């Protein structure tokens, strides 16, 4: 029997990182279950929704915001970040320079959005394209996360659908604690 009184929550997550690291692919994989090997550059801020039947009483709609073509500026408008309660910071294991950029994205994020109490929003780090290589995984990644208040990191693959669900669930547990 459907629970007609299920509580509904909407959580906005931003997905950030350099051009080509796989942000759009991760969002599409998570929300549509699909992967395409062609580049899709859309201009403007886009979002896609994933609905989680969290438990008997709760349904959560995750709004995953994609920066969609604005990566080159390295900084985003405050409107993009506004009201977000979680962030996925993505880099590309096939291009180690994209890991260097994560600090720049993190700085932009932390400058532009906070929880109502002033704390940083929960953030996860995704080392994407793990299906291609993991040899390039930075060996200081644990230290980096600790120093920068990143709650967890995952090796992901949008292509093979690896660890994307786990990462989003982890982020959602944190978002729920702050709710
Ligand atoms: P964005 O610019 O960060 O949104 O990156 P895209 O999602 O457009 O991906 C850039 C390119 O990398 C595309 O050709 C994707 O098909 C490819 N790509 C994305 N994720 C993966 C992945 O996990 N593995 C592999 N092998 N390719 C990926
Ligand atoms: Mg994109």
């Amino acid at each position: 029997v459907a629970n007609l009184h299920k509580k509904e929550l909407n959580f906005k997550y931003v997905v950030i990182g350099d051009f080509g690291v796989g942000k759009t692919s991760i969002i599409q994989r998570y929300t549509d279950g699909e992967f395409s090997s062609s580049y899709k550059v859309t201009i403007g801020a886009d979002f896609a929704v994933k609905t989680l039947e969290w438990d008997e009483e709760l349904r959560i709609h995750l709004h995953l915001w994609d920066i969609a073509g604005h990566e080159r500026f390295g900084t985003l408008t405050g409107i993009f970040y506004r009201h977000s309660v979680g962030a996925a910071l993505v880099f590309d294991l096939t291009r180690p320079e994209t890991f260097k950029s994560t600090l720049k994205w993190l700085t932009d994020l932390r400058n532009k959005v906070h929880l109502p109490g002033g704390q940083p929003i929960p953030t996860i780090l995704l080392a994407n394209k793990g299906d291609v290589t993991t040899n390039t995984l930075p060996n200081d990644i644990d230290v980096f996360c600790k120093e920068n208040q990143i709650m967890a990191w995952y090796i992901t693959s949008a292509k093979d659908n690896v660890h994307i669900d786990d990462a989003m669930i982890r982020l959602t547990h944190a978002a729920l604690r702050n709710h």
Side-chain angles (χ1 to χ4, degrees):
V1 180
N3 182 348
L4 299 176
H5 303 287
K6 225 168 172 175
K7 184 177 174 189
E8 314 241 354
L9 291 177
N10 289 286
F11 287 164
K12 174 179 172 180
Y13 296 162
V14 291
V15 182
I16 56 177
D18 279 357
F19 181 74
V21 296
K23 301 178 299 296
T24 302
S25 300
I26 287 168
I27 293 170
Q28 284 197 339
R29 166 60 80 191
Y30 191 55
T31 61
D32 294 348
E34 285 187 3
F35 176 77
S36 153
S37 59
S38 59
Y39 268 79
K40 339 159 229 341
V41 183
T42 31
I43 300 300
D46 272 336
F47 70 89
V49 180
K50 169 83 171 180
T51 298
L52 300 174
E53 302 297 334
W54 190 257
D55 62 26
E56 297 284 294
E57 269 90 50
L58 179 61
R59 177 177 294 134
I60 306 174
H61 305 283
L62 303 181
H63 296 235
L64 300 178
W65 283 59
D66 190 348
I67 65 179
H70 289 273
E71 292 95 332
R72 67 186 179 283
F73 304 113
T75 164
L76 299 167
T77 156
I79 294 164
F80 175 78
Y81 292 110
R82 191 156 63 200
H83 304 310
S84 57
V85 296
L89 178 54
V90 186
F91 72 99
D92 179 345
L93 285 166
T94 71
R95 288 185 298 138
E97 70 276 14
T98 62
F99 176 68
K100 301 244 162 29
S101 299
T102 57
L103 195 53
K104 174 192 73 181
W105 289 110
L106 202 54
T107 304
D108 195 47
L109 172 77
R110 297 279 158 80
N111 283 339
K112 290 179 182 157
V113 67
H114 300 92
L115 295 174
Q119 316 93 305
I121 66 171
T123 302
I124 52 170
L125 181 64
L126 306 182
N128 193 43
K129 308 194 190 181
D131 58 284
V132 183
T133 182
T134 54
N135 296 335
T136 50
L137 191 69
N139 47 29
D140 58 346
I141 194 162
D142 282 316
V143 176
F144 177 81
C145 288
K146 206 160 180 217
E147 283 177 354
N148 293 290
Q149 293 175 277
I150 293 169
M151 54 183 280
W153 63 269
Y154 294 84
I155 296 172
T156 59
S157 169
K159 183 162 184 260
D160 293 346
N161 196 17
V162 176
H163 287 157
I164 295 170
D165 289 81
D166 297 347
M168 294 302 175
I169 294 292
R170 181 79 181 268
L171 196 53
T172 303
H173 277 287
L176 274 171
R177 278 195 296 275
N178 292 328
H179 175 70

